[in-house]
Amino acid sequence: MDQISAMQAFRRVVESGGFSAAAALTGQSHTVLSRQVKNLERHLGTQLLSRTTRRLHVTEAGALCYRHCVQVLEQLEAMSLEISEHQQQPTGTLRLSVATAFGELELGRWLPDFVERFDQLQVELICTDRFVDMLEEGVDVCLRVTTHLPDSNLVARQLAVSEVVLVAAPAYLQRWPAPIEPHTLGEHALLGYNRLAQPQRLSLQGPDGQRLDVAMPSRLSANSPMALRAAAIAGLGIASFDRFIVHDALLDGRLVQVLPEWQQPSRHVYAMFPQSRYLAPKVRALVEYARAYYTEPRWEIKM
């Protein structure tokens, strides 16, 4: 019996939830996978999987076997990767997932140089604002901009901090002769991002530490930060953005900051990847390159 192949088959069946799903994932037939698992059960002298007409259940012995299989297989993979790491550049396909705004506004600043530097690596870029299940979708690295990280088995490396700012176009502000105050925000045309958990509320902290929650009945809302950015530049109202989204428009005057003395909770840019005992060279290369790039603050307004 090829014990390693049997362990790999068993692990795939458990993680996929069944033989058919594992067969589709690995390209092996249902029959081959079933035979390998049965050989492993015969070798160990115990039943690992309980099969019914509808579901596949992992026995108590199967759960113990699965944990050891994962450990042994990861150690074998780590050995192979570690031996070859010093002999080759990162190769293969790197699947990189980013939010659409970050992909459109930030990656053009540093990804071309990364691709040129690691010319044996192919990058598959996935720009989406939906939640990405990295393990399910086979994503190697995900760059996320968030205020907090949910509990998960993913490793997170902080790359940068993005201040959150209120902005509006000069043309919009010229139509309001009175100074804008936090308590008058609700009287303005407000632009909202409707994919947030609470898209209609701002949490502000003043220069003296006072806190204020501001309801934001939106004149216009959208599920695209880039569409809201265009609306704000066109003078349709006041909006709240990560600074990296509006940094260039603040520099050239298309937008100006509103209530600059009032702060909102900052968000953080993370590089996230599945937890493993050994980091693949292609993942390590991307994470280290991005961390080095964002060591220098990128979105400060120099006075």
Side-chain angles (χ1 to χ4, degrees):
M1 179 188 71
D2 183 346
Q3 193 167 349
I4 299 301
S5 297
M7 292 168 64
Q8 290 172 332
F10 175 66
R11 179 184 180 182
R12 289 300 186 189
V13 170
V14 172
E15 292 178 347
S16 302
F19 286 92
S20 297
L25 182 65
T26 63
Q28 294 178 291
S29 69
H30 186 293
T31 301
V32 169
L33 291 174
S34 179
R35 182 169 62 249
Q36 288 176 322
V37 172
K38 287 180 179 178
N39 287 340
L40 184 60
E41 290 178 326
R42 189 178 302 113
H43 175 75
L44 296 174
T46 187
Q47 185 178 9
L48 303 177
L49 299 174
S50 175
R51 305 164 181 83
T52 66
T53 56
R54 292 188 174 183
R55 297 190 61 186
L56 191 71
H57 299 275
V58 181
T59 66
E60 184 176 354
L64 179 62
C65 178
Y66 170 75
R67 290 197 295 271
H68 284 286
C69 283
V70 171
Q71 183 177 9
V72 170
L73 293 172
E74 285 192 348
Q75 287 177 342
L76 287 173
E77 181 182 4
M79 178 187 68
S80 299
L81 289 171
E82 190 168 359
I83 289 173
S84 64
E85 181 182 22
H86 299 293
Q87 301 177 0
Q88 64 180 10
Q89 290 288 320
T91 60
T93 300
L94 175 72
R95 302 194 77 222
L96 172 62
S97 174
V98 298
T100 53
F102 197 87
E104 293 184 33
L105 297 170
E106 277 297 302
L107 290 191
R109 304 180 188 278
W110 57 266
L111 190 60
D113 181 69
F114 173 82
V115 172
E116 184 175 353
R117 181 174 302 185
F118 299 100
D119 57 1
Q120 298 182 47
L121 189 63
Q122 294 79 48
V123 177
E124 182 179 338
L125 185 59
I126 306 163
C127 294
T128 178
D129 291 323
R130 64 173 177 81
F131 174 79
V132 173
D133 187 325
M134 298 184 65
L135 295 176
E136 180 71 21
E137 300 180 40
V139 172
D140 296 302
V141 182
C142 183
L143 302 184
R144 291 181 178 168
V145 186
T146 182
T147 54
H148 68 281
L149 291 173
D151 293 335
S152 71
N153 292 326
L154 301 176
V155 178
R157 296 284 186 266
Q158 183 174 312
L159 302 180
V161 176
S162 178
E163 183 185 2
V164 180
V165 293
L166 283 172
V167 298
Y172 174 83
L173 297 176
Q174 289 173 3
R175 300 199 297 267
W176 290 83
I180 298 175
E181 301 292 345
H183 63 274
T184 65
L185 275 177
E187 302 172 11
H188 285 263
L190 303 174
L191 312 178
Y193 181 52
N194 58 24
R195 290 179 63 92
L196 296 176
Q198 294 181 324
Q200 307 301 320
R201 185 167 296 275
L202 291 177
S203 294
L204 301 175
Q205 180 173 331
D208 298 325
Q210 63 270 43
R211 296 182 180 274
L212 181 65
D213 284 341
V214 180
M216 289 188 67
S218 297
R219 176 185 185 184
L220 181 149
S221 65
N223 64 354
S224 164
M226 297 302 291
L228 287 179
R229 178 179 185 270
I233 291 173
L236 293 185
I238 299 174
S240 175
F241 290 102
D242 289 287
R243 184 179 283 277
F244 78 84
I245 296 178
V246 294
H247 179 65
D248 59 339
L250 288 170
L251 285 176
D252 63 25
R254 286 176 293 166
L255 292 173
V256 296
Q257 189 170 350
V258 176
L259 297 176
E261 69 278 11
W262 286 77
Q263 297 180 343
Q264 300 176 66
S266 295
R267 285 153 56 86
H268 298 78
V269 183
Y270 293 97
M272 305 187 68
F273 48 90
Q275 190 171 18
S276 176
R277 293 180 183 273
Y278 185 81
L279 196 59
K282 62 182 180 180
V283 175
R284 184 188 302 276
L286 187 284
V287 174
E288 290 183 351
Y289 187 95
R291 290 185 74 178
Y293 177 82
Y294 287 108
T295 296
E296 179 183 344
R298 297 291 172 175
W299 308 307
E300 290 185 348
I301 302 295
K302 296 180 174 59
M303 305 303 291

